[in-house]
Amino acid sequence: MTQTRKKKIGLIGGGQIGGNLALIAVQKSLGDVTLFDIPAAEGLVKGKALDINQLSAVDGYDCRVTGSTDWKDVAGSDVIIITAGVPRKPGMSREDLLDINLKIMRDVAANIKQHAPNAFVINVANPLDAMVFALQKIAELPKHMVVGMAGVLDTSRFKFFVAEALGSSIRDVEALVLGGHGDDMVPLVRHTTVGGVPLTELLPQDKLEAIVKRTREGGAELVGLYKTGSAYFAPASSAISMAESFLLDRKRILPAAALLEGQYGINGYFFGVPVQIGAGGVEKILTPQLNDSEKAALEKSFQSVKKTVDSVKL
């Protein structure tokens, strides 16, 4: 009997998001996981791997986690998720992390190019849009095989705030947040429905504006609460949903930072838009009809992204 090869998932960065990524990947039986970090964090990644492996008997997980500081253990990964970098601290913007995390991304991208050039790569490191731009250029990844994770997280936050305000099931909230992963992101309020009913018919304008504001500041709110770090549960789950759609050919429509080549009037930049993710990576880029107000908001978000990306020196 021919044995099917398990999928392999490489997680670059063994911090809070990395550990949760490993746990969720194993719980979903998506494949065997390599949790990678620098030599100084060897004990951390090996400890997290052992800890997760020891819980596998409780629910019968058959996938395994390996903690490693050797890029050779990442070789052959089907999916790579990058979380390596410095998290935000109170008072910092995502853009404040640019110089620090760009140095890290240069090394990560070069090693992906050498050891896992055929992987579907999902970047989580901030500033998101600039980091995924640098990643694709340095690693020379095909445009359909690299994305930035932000839209899924931002949309999840928006959905939660809507459900909380209405006291409804979050399962019935359909929404989409586009644009850059920053203070100018664009929740598409007009396109949001709850049980098929337009959100604009369910909440007054002031409540809608408050939810949009809280969504845009969602990351900063958590940084302020944690004091010493940033969000990790929701970002990990969001990245796994993208990896799962690729590994299992789900063909889900998810908001992600993809390389645009004329769509939305943008060319040569990664920007948060709805994409279809399947076994071919980014298989489609969708372009919903936007009104003038939504177009203006998206353009403002793009200009913020463009300013940060244009400051990247590769």
Side-chain angles (χ1 to χ4, degrees):
M1 185 172 68
T2 303
Q3 187 174 7
T4 303
R5 180 185 74 86
K6 284 184 186 177
K7 298 294 186 179
K8 184 175 180 179
I9 302 165
L11 305 178
I12 312 305
Q16 293 280 30
I17 301 179
N20 278 284
L21 284 168
L23 176 60
I24 299 169
V26 168
Q27 289 175 326
K28 286 179 170 285
S29 297
L30 294 181
D32 288 333
V33 174
T34 299
L35 184 59
F36 172 91
D37 213 314
I38 59 175
E42 182 176 14
L44 178 70
V45 290
K46 288 190 173 180
K48 288 186 178 183
L50 181 59
D51 201 0
I52 293 171
N53 287 335
Q54 288 174 351
L55 71 77
S56 63
V58 179
D59 291 317
Y61 305 138
D62 292 318
C63 297
R64 294 290 177 264
V65 183
T66 300
S68 177
T69 60
D70 190 336
W71 272 100
K72 291 180 180 178
D73 291 328
V74 181
S77 293
D78 297 282
V79 169
I80 287 179
I81 304 176
I82 302 168
T83 65
V86 176
R88 275 201 292 171
K89 295 179 176 61
M92 293 180 70
S93 70
R94 294 181 179 91
E95 286 67 32
D96 290 335
L97 302 174
L98 180 61
D99 291 340
I100 300 170
N101 286 347
L102 185 57
K103 293 177 183 178
I104 298 171
M105 183 58 77
R106 285 193 183 99
D107 179 69
V108 169
N111 277 289
I112 289 174
K113 181 179 180 180
Q114 179 180 351
H115 297 285
N118 299 316
F120 180 61
V121 185
I122 302 167
N123 175 61
V124 182
N126 279 315
L128 188 285
D129 309 279
M131 288 299 101
V132 69
F133 175 86
L135 166 67
Q136 194 268 336
K137 293 293 185 184
I138 298 168
E140 298 181 348
L141 295 166
K143 63 183 180 181
H144 62 284
M145 293 297 282
V146 55
V147 289
M149 189 296 296
V152 176
L153 170 62
D154 297 329
T155 300
S156 182
R157 287 170 173 164
F158 181 63
K159 286 182 176 181
F160 171 73
F161 297 145
V162 167
E164 185 180 47
L166 291 172
S168 64
S169 170
I170 201 166
R171 291 171 180 254
D172 296 324
V173 181
E174 293 294 336
L176 196 61
V177 177
L178 304 185
H181 188 46
D183 295 340
D184 295 323
M185 66 181 71
V186 185
L188 293 182
V189 175
R190 187 174 63 91
H191 296 258
T192 303
T193 61
V194 182
V197 180
L199 178 61
T200 51
E201 298 179 12
L202 298 173
L203 288 173
Q205 185 64 27
D206 62 328
K207 289 284 184 66
L208 296 175
E209 291 174 359
I211 289 172
V212 168
K213 184 176 187 294
R214 193 177 181 194
T215 300
R216 288 173 171 162
E217 298 173 355
E221 181 179 0
L222 285 163
V223 169
L225 291 168
Y226 282 138
K227 307 296 184 188
T228 58
S230 54
Y232 46 93
F233 291 120
S237 186
S238 298
I240 288 294
S241 72
M242 299 168 74
E244 182 178 35
S245 193
F246 170 78
L247 291 168
L248 302 182
D249 196 24
R250 297 283 196 205
K251 300 192 184 300
R252 294 192 62 196
I253 305 301
L254 300 168
L259 182 62
L260 300 185
E261 296 178 309
Q263 303 93 337
Y264 299 87
I266 298 169
N267 189 39
Y269 291 84
F270 282 82
F271 195 59
V273 297
V275 303
Q276 177 179 291
I277 296 178
V282 176
E283 297 178 339
K284 292 180 184 177
I285 294 176
L286 284 70
T287 53
Q289 291 295 314
L290 305 177
N291 62 25
D292 289 344
S293 176
E294 291 159 347
K295 289 177 181 177
L298 209 61
E299 176 62 21
K300 180 182 179 183
S301 181
F302 171 64
Q303 290 303 321
S304 295
V305 167
K306 184 176 185 298
K307 181 180 179 181
T308 304
V309 172
D310 288 350
S311 69
V312 171
K313 300 295 188 294
L314 298 179

